[in-house]
Amino acid sequence: MSSVRGRPKIRPPKGLTLKPFESDLSSLERKLTMVMFANFKSLSSPGLNVDFDKMWAILASALREIHTKNSSELSYEELYRNAYKLVLKKKGDALYNKVKQFEEAWLSGEVRAKVRGATSSAFFSGPSGALVATSNERRVAGEKFLRAIREAWEDHRVCTAMIADVLMYMDRVYCADNRKPITYIAIMGLFRDKIMRSPLDAGEAHGPKISSILNSVILDQIQMERDGDIVDRNLIRSSIYMLEGLYDTDAEHENQKLYLVSFEPEFLISSRLFYKEEAEKILRQADAATFLRHTQKRLEEEDARCESTLSTLTGPKIRKVIEEEVITAHMGEVINMEGSGAEHMLDNDRFDELQLMFDLVARVDVKKEALAQALRKRVEELGIEINNASGAATGAGTATGSEDKATTDAGAQLQGQGALNMQTAAAIQWVDDVLRLKDKYEMVWTRSFYSDHELQTALTRGFTTFINDFKRSPEYVSLFIDDNLRRGLKGKTEAEAEQVLEKAVVLLRYVQDKDLFERYYKKHLSKRLLTGRSVSHEVERQMISKMKLEIGNYFTQKLEGMFKDMAISEGLTSDFRGHTQRLNEGQQRRIELGVHVLTSTFWPTDALGYSGGQDRAPTTCVFPHEIERVKENFQKFYLNRHNGRRLTWQANSGSADIKATFPALSGKDAPLNRERKHELNVSTYGMVVLFLFNDLPRGASMAFDEIEAKTMIPTSDLIRNLQSLAVAPKTRILIKEPMSKDIKRTDRFSFNEGFSSKFLRFKVGVVAGANKVEGERERKDTEKRNDEMRGGIIEAAVVRIMKGRKKLSHQNLLSEIISQLANRFAPDMAMVKKRIESLIDREYLERIEGSDPPSYRYLA
């Protein structure tokens, strides 16, 4: 069955083709097509008389036949001619009114009676306001009523189209001249007024109107469908077609369709109430995931209902109702629901549920603030847990700092060394845990949140907060990089190494105190370079290139200078060897020297031997006379090339390969009964200590104090080297008396003639020789030196800003300082104000008297 909305197009009076509208009614089983070719000019004869009553009787009878479905025997040519005559003889007004009166009577009598007969008591509520019938009874009664409405509407529409064809000339002439609605519109309007807007019972003027009952029935059918019942959507759709075909007035503006002004507002109001109650009920009874799935299901159901049953114009409006009453009103509670909300979903990798949550939140909030806050909060909570776990591990292994005491014992030193190793492992573990957390939330962000920019900002802020709340984060990030560049990248492919480096840079992006990280990184890099422990210089340079892109050139300039020094040093060493070969041609060389000449402005003070900062003298020791000669030769060679420079020798960062000969011992089993030679790799301090025993008579010994006095090695370094040479079982080159792990000043040391090893070459490791976590005292010293450096940077920034601006208010100056230094560190306001005062005292700036707000002037 084809359905037609609105009125059919009016055909021209000449060559008229009339077709009764096709219907599914049994009485109109065949089509009637009548083609009339008539010359109506003869009807305009002035002598022609017209009997209005007689012609109207014929037309009224025809209208009745059309409504009773007996139109097949009618002569449409005669009917059209009669209507034409009446209009031609100025009877159009009477004809127009008669047709309306007839249709009013028909609709009020015949049609309304049929509709009333289809009503049921199931439509009406009891004293409490609730419907007294069961859902099945309401469904059956509702379908019966909708069928009656559909039949009445389709009959009326078909009949109206046929009547409009008969009265076509009246529409063209009378209605056009008098600005009245054409027949089709007028009769359709009568259906609206006499059926839809009339009370169900004609005797009850204030009783329920048919339109109200229709709306209630449709809404009840929709509600039953929402509750899971099966309803006849076609019946509902036919009523919606009718409401879309009728208008609030005969002007027929598109925004005045009965569907829009009558049904849709009630539908939206009832839906709003329903979804408000349902959301509250589900929130009380179900978990967050169920709430989300049910909300999505309701949205899909309403979209399908608007596509197939209601109007597509209602789709956005009903979606807005759900978004306001379900999502906006309750999504905050759902996100924060204990045991099943966003926190639970994040912890248990519920990616699909998180994606659904994001989709729903994004409907009502472009910034996704509630979800962003929950995401950031969870990241910070997990980050605090990581910080606390690492802090506990670090606190458990805090070094006592007792190595500066003369009576330090080796047992305490070894115990402290174990604690340091635990702290370093805890530092690496902290970074690994943060990276795992980052990887997890990166996956959530891409899989569930569509790489949303707002949520990326929330994640960044969450990580930035807890990472910078952990005061050791700059040191730990540097230690993580150091660990990987020492040994962590060995055996990895180029792509895997690149990934590790990229992760380190990502963490560095979150660290605010990048200047403190720079200090630690320079310290750790210097040890890698000077001890030759780096995986490769190429990987080191890749890391520096990545940090240059992330932080800037100011950070990497000194690091690049360190690599330049290493390259120059290789050339110097090679040239010096060639120089000594020419001087000692024909002589056997006993000592080969390799040097690293370090530019003091590039390298950290630790590498230069300034253990307490630049204001202290560098550490040194007394070298054996053989080494002294080689030192002097190199110094002359170097100063000949670079006149005016000063070299300071650092024994604390070097190493030495020495050949040791252990005598045969009579009466001993192999291998002690023969002479044994080994090549030892020891620290420079270890070499100085061992050289003392070359001049010592066989079987003689030296006390700790004596060794310290002859070498001038700092006490802490001497203890560590003696531990390696006399306590470690596999490298016990010296014998300690008494033999114990405790080293005291009263201990004596002698050469171990009975030493043997299955290795020809081996390394004597020095306790705590690698990069370790700083103790509390060391960390405070580092922070103090870093603050001193920050003071200079802040002053330079103030002068640079004021030199360009000449005059600036206090608040604007602070803002610009923070902006310029944000990429290096977060300046402390108290320090900034102190530095401004210092510049004023030194007459770089002056206060502008009486200025409001307080301002400064630059003094050239």
Side-chain angles (χ1 to χ4, degrees):
M1 178 184 70
S2 62
S3 299
V4 179
R5 297 189 192 180
R7 64 180 184 277
K9 185 177 180 181
I10 299 176
R11 294 186 288 276
K14 294 183 180 180
L16 182 65
T17 302
L18 295 176
K19 295 183 180 180
F21 199 89
E22 295 182 36
S23 173
D24 58 351
L25 304 177
S26 61
S27 61
L28 294 178
E29 294 178 350
R30 65 185 181 86
K31 296 180 181 179
L32 174 63
T33 303
M34 299 182 65
V35 182
M36 301 185 300
F37 299 96
N39 183 2
F40 295 113
K41 292 182 180 180
S42 59
L43 297 179
S44 62
S45 172
L48 182 64
N49 294 321
V50 176
D51 186 346
F52 178 83
D53 294 336
K54 180 179 179 181
M55 287 187 177
W56 168 245
I58 295 172
L59 289 173
S61 176
L63 295 181
R64 188 172 290 102
E65 293 298 319
I66 289 173
H67 278 295
T68 56
K69 306 180 182 66
N70 293 322
S71 61
S72 59
E73 302 300 327
L74 295 176
S75 172
Y76 280 81
E77 177 183 1
E78 180 184 355
L79 296 175
Y80 187 89
R81 187 184 298 273
N82 289 337
Y84 179 84
K85 290 177 182 179
L86 293 174
V87 174
L88 198 63
K89 291 301 180 179
K90 308 301 181 184
K91 302 294 185 181
D93 185 63
L95 176 61
Y96 188 84
N97 292 330
K98 283 289 187 181
V99 171
K100 288 185 66 175
Q101 291 171 7
F102 178 88
E103 291 299 324
E104 288 177 3
W106 179 265
L107 291 170
S108 300
E110 300 294 332
V111 177
R112 186 161 59 188
K114 291 181 179 179
V115 173
R116 186 176 187 280
T119 58
S120 170
S121 60
F123 299 159
F124 306 103
S125 59
S128 63
L131 293 175
V132 296
T134 64
S135 60
N136 186 58
E137 291 173 340
R138 299 198 322 272
R139 180 181 60 80
V140 173
E143 290 177 353
K144 179 182 178 182
F145 179 77
L146 293 177
R147 287 193 185 93
I149 290 291
R150 180 177 68 180
E151 182 178 349
W153 166 248
E154 290 184 350
D155 284 352
H156 183 74
R157 185 166 50 81
V158 170
C159 295
T160 302
M162 296 171 69
I163 293 169
D165 282 343
V166 171
L167 302 175
M168 188 183 306
Y169 187 75
M170 182 179 71
D171 291 339
R172 291 187 60 197
V173 178
Y174 170 77
C175 295
D177 292 345
N178 292 275
R179 295 184 179 180
K180 290 193 174 184
I182 61 174
T183 306
Y184 190 89
I185 294 177
I187 299 177
M188 283 294 179
L190 292 175
F191 189 89
R192 172 195 65 217
D193 297 334
K194 301 302 177 181
I195 299 299
M196 300 302 297
R197 290 179 174 172
S198 66
L200 184 63
D201 192 336
E204 298 180 7
H206 300 289
K209 296 181 179 180
I210 293 177
S211 61
S212 300
I213 296 175
L214 176 63
N215 289 348
S216 298
V217 169
I218 296 175
L219 293 177
D220 191 43
Q221 295 285 312
I222 291 173
Q223 184 58 51
M224 284 189 283
E225 186 177 39
R226 286 172 176 164
D227 293 338
D229 294 338
I230 298 175
V231 298
D232 192 337
R233 288 188 172 186
N234 289 329
L235 281 175
I236 300 174
R237 186 59 181 157
S238 64
S239 297
I240 297 300
Y241 271 139
M242 178 193 70
L243 294 174
E244 288 182 320
L246 294 174
Y247 293 82
D248 192 45
T249 65
D250 290 342
E252 291 199 348
H253 297 300
E254 286 300 310
N255 61 350
Q256 291 184 343
K257 292 180 179 180
L258 284 188
Y259 175 82
L260 297 176
V261 300
S262 174
F263 172 76
E264 189 182 69
E266 289 193 32
F267 170 70
L268 295 177
I269 291 173
S270 65
S271 297
R272 185 176 295 277
L273 180 60
F274 167 74
Y275 282 116
K276 180 180 180 180
E277 294 175 350
E278 183 184 61
E280 293 173 352
K281 178 181 177 182
I282 295 177
L283 201 61
R284 291 193 301 268
Q285 298 178 353
D287 59 13
T290 302
F291 185 94
L292 295 173
R293 286 192 292 267
H294 188 78
T295 302
Q296 183 63 28
K297 177 186 174 185
R298 287 303 193 190
L299 285 166
E300 293 170 355
E301 287 177 354
E302 295 297 342
D303 282 340
R305 182 175 295 112
C306 291
E307 287 287 338
S308 63
T309 307
L310 303 181
S311 170
T312 54
L313 297 175
T314 308
K317 300 173 185 177
I318 188 62
R319 285 196 293 270
K320 185 178 180 181
V321 168
I322 298 177
E323 289 167 358
E324 291 177 352
E325 297 299 331
V326 180
I327 302 176
T328 303
H330 301 291
M331 191 51 68
E333 297 177 67
V334 174
I335 290 174
N336 298 308
M337 189 176 290
E338 187 175 356
S340 64
E343 178 179 328
H344 172 79
M345 297 175 186
L346 290 168
D347 292 347
N348 293 277
D349 299 334
R350 302 290 182 86
F351 298 114
D352 293 339
E353 294 171 4
L354 287 168
Q355 183 178 4
L356 181 55
M357 178 180 287
F358 175 87
D359 291 337
L360 296 178
V361 171
R363 284 176 168 270
V364 299
D365 184 7
V366 176
K367 295 184 178 180
K368 283 77 68 175
E369 290 185 358
L371 184 56
Q373 290 175 1
L375 189 63
R376 178 179 177 178
K377 178 184 176 184
R378 189 54 184 160
V379 168
E380 291 179 1
E381 290 174 348
L382 294 175
I384 290 173
E385 291 179 7
I386 295 173
N387 291 348
N388 292 339
S390 180
T394 304
T398 300
T400 62
S402 61
E403 59 255 20
D404 57 338
K405 296 181 181 179
T407 59
T408 301
D409 60 274
Q413 285 286 344
L414 291 175
Q415 184 178 2
Q417 171 62 18
L420 285 174
N421 289 333
M422 289 176 59
Q423 292 175 40
T424 304
I428 305 302
Q429 185 64 42
W430 180 85
V431 178
D432 286 335
D433 290 343
V434 173
L435 287 176
R436 275 194 293 271
L437 185 65
K438 179 71 171 62
D439 289 342
K440 174 178 178 176
Y441 279 85
E442 190 83 15
M443 182 181 298
V444 172
W445 179 64
T446 53
R447 286 185 55 178
S448 300
F449 300 151
Y450 307 100
S451 302
D452 180 75
H453 174 71
E454 302 295 337
L455 296 187
Q456 182 188 35
T457 302
L459 285 174
T460 300
R461 290 176 177 173
F463 278 95
T464 300
T465 298
F466 83 79
I467 286 176
N468 289 284
D469 284 346
F470 189 60
K471 299 304 181 183
R472 288 184 176 268
S473 59
E475 180 185 7
Y476 281 13
V477 173
S478 180
L479 278 171
F480 173 80
I481 298 173
D482 177 71
D483 183 69
N484 278 279
L485 293 180
R486 279 176 177 271
R487 56 183 177 82
L489 298 181
K490 290 181 180 179
K492 286 184 171 23
T493 64
E494 184 176 346
E496 291 172 339
E498 179 76 14
Q499 186 178 17
V500 171
L501 298 181
E502 192 62 40
K503 286 183 176 181
V505 172
V506 168
L507 280 189
L508 179 58
R509 190 175 301 152
Y510 297 131
V511 175
Q512 290 180 344
D513 294 335
K514 291 182 174 62
D515 60 334
L516 192 57
F517 168 82
E518 175 189 357
R519 183 175 293 273
Y520 283 115
Y521 192 82
K522 285 170 59 179
K523 172 184 174 182
H524 297 155
L525 174 62
S526 68
K527 287 191 176 182
R528 291 198 300 274
L529 294 179
L530 296 177
T531 58
R533 294 291 300 275
S534 179
V535 173
S536 77
H537 283 195
E538 181 62 30
V539 176
E540 293 278 7
R541 289 190 175 91
Q542 288 180 15
M543 188 66 200
I544 291 176
S545 297
K546 290 180 181 296
M547 289 190 290
K548 180 186 291 187
L549 293 175
E550 183 64 32
I551 304 176
N553 292 335
Y554 68 87
F555 171 73
T556 58
Q557 284 176 350
K558 292 183 178 180
L559 301 182
E560 291 169 346
M562 293 167 69
F563 279 96
K564 185 178 179 180
D565 282 351
M566 296 300 291
I568 293 175
S569 297
E570 289 181 8
L572 276 173
T573 300
S574 177
D575 293 346
F576 179 68
R577 286 176 182 173
H579 173 71
T580 55
Q581 285 177 359
R582 289 190 297 272
L583 292 178
N584 302 319
E585 189 172 354
Q587 300 181 16
Q588 183 178 2
R589 292 176 298 159
R590 297 186 60 193
I591 300 176
E592 290 187 358
L593 178 66
V595 292
H596 294 142
V597 181
L598 312 181
T599 305
S600 59
T601 55
F602 294 156
W603 294 77
T605 56
D606 292 347
L608 300 176
Y610 297 92
S611 59
Q614 290 281 16
D615 55 333
R616 289 192 181 183
T619 57
T620 184
C621 73
V622 178
F623 289 97
H625 60 87
E626 299 93 336
I627 304 300
E628 282 291 344
R629 285 198 301 268
V630 177
K631 282 176 52 184
E632 291 173 0
N633 290 337
F634 178 81
Q635 189 154 337
K636 291 178 182 179
F637 168 78
Y638 182 81
L639 294 179
N640 284 335
R641 287 191 171 190
H642 306 282
N643 189 25
R645 296 187 181 180
R646 181 170 62 89
L647 291 178
T648 302
W649 295 85
Q650 304 297 330
N652 60 323
S653 299
S655 64
D657 292 329
I658 61 177
K659 293 180 180 180
T661 301
F662 298 87
L665 300 178
S666 59
K668 299 288 184 178
D669 296 333
L672 299 180
N673 58 1
R674 63 176 183 268
E675 187 178 79
R676 302 168 308 286
K677 294 182 178 181
H678 296 279
E679 293 184 13
L680 316 179
N681 177 264
V682 297
S683 69
T684 303
Y685 284 150
M687 174 200 68
V688 172
V689 171
L690 290 177
F691 264 63
L692 294 177
F693 292 89
N694 279 343
D695 301 328
L696 202 65
R698 192 171 183 177
S701 63
M702 298 180 68
F704 178 91
D705 289 340
E706 189 178 356
I707 296 173
E708 183 180 31
K710 288 186 175 182
T711 61
M712 298 297 293
I713 298 174
T715 303
S716 60
D717 291 321
L718 180 59
I719 290 173
R720 292 191 299 110
N721 280 274
L722 288 176
Q723 286 172 2
S724 302
L725 294 171
V727 176
K730 294 183 180 181
T731 58
R732 197 170 291 169
I733 312 300
L734 303 178
I735 296 175
K736 187 177 86 70
E737 295 179 358
M739 186 57 206
S740 69
K741 293 182 179 181
D742 302 335
I743 293 180
K744 297 183 173 64
R745 289 191 177 276
T746 56
D747 291 343
R748 301 192 66 83
F749 299 89
S750 60
F751 183 66
N752 184 9
E753 296 180 349
F755 174 81
S756 66
S757 174
K758 61 181 179 179
F759 299 106
L760 177 64
R761 302 181 63 181
F762 58 87
K763 181 176 181 178
V764 179
V766 180
V767 175
N771 287 323
K772 302 296 180 182
V773 176
E774 288 185 338
E776 190 64 27
R777 187 176 60 186
E778 292 176 306
R779 186 169 68 86
K780 289 182 178 180
D781 184 60
T782 299
E783 290 177 351
K784 179 180 177 182
R785 282 181 282 160
N786 198 63
D787 286 342
E788 293 173 356
M789 182 189 70
R790 284 183 178 182
I793 294 174
I794 291 172
E795 287 187 357
V798 172
V799 172
R800 185 167 54 250
I801 293 168
M802 292 301 300
K803 189 175 182 179
R805 302 292 292 275
K806 303 304 181 184
K807 295 180 181 179
L808 202 61
S809 69
H810 176 76
Q811 194 59 43
N812 289 340
L813 178 59
L814 293 182
S815 298
E816 291 207 27
I817 291 171
I818 293 172
S819 176
Q820 287 196 12
L821 301 181
N823 288 334
R824 302 192 68 175
F825 59 90
D828 178 64
M829 288 298 100
M831 181 183 292
V832 172
K833 293 177 181 178
K834 182 178 179 181
R835 293 298 172 173
I836 292 175
E837 293 293 334
S838 176
L839 289 172
I840 293 174
D841 293 340
R842 287 178 283 160
E843 298 185 352
Y844 284 91
L845 307 176
E846 70 173 359
R847 289 187 176 89
I848 301 176
E849 296 296 334
S851 61
D852 186 23
S855 302
Y856 304 102
R857 180 186 292 113
Y858 177 70
L859 300 177

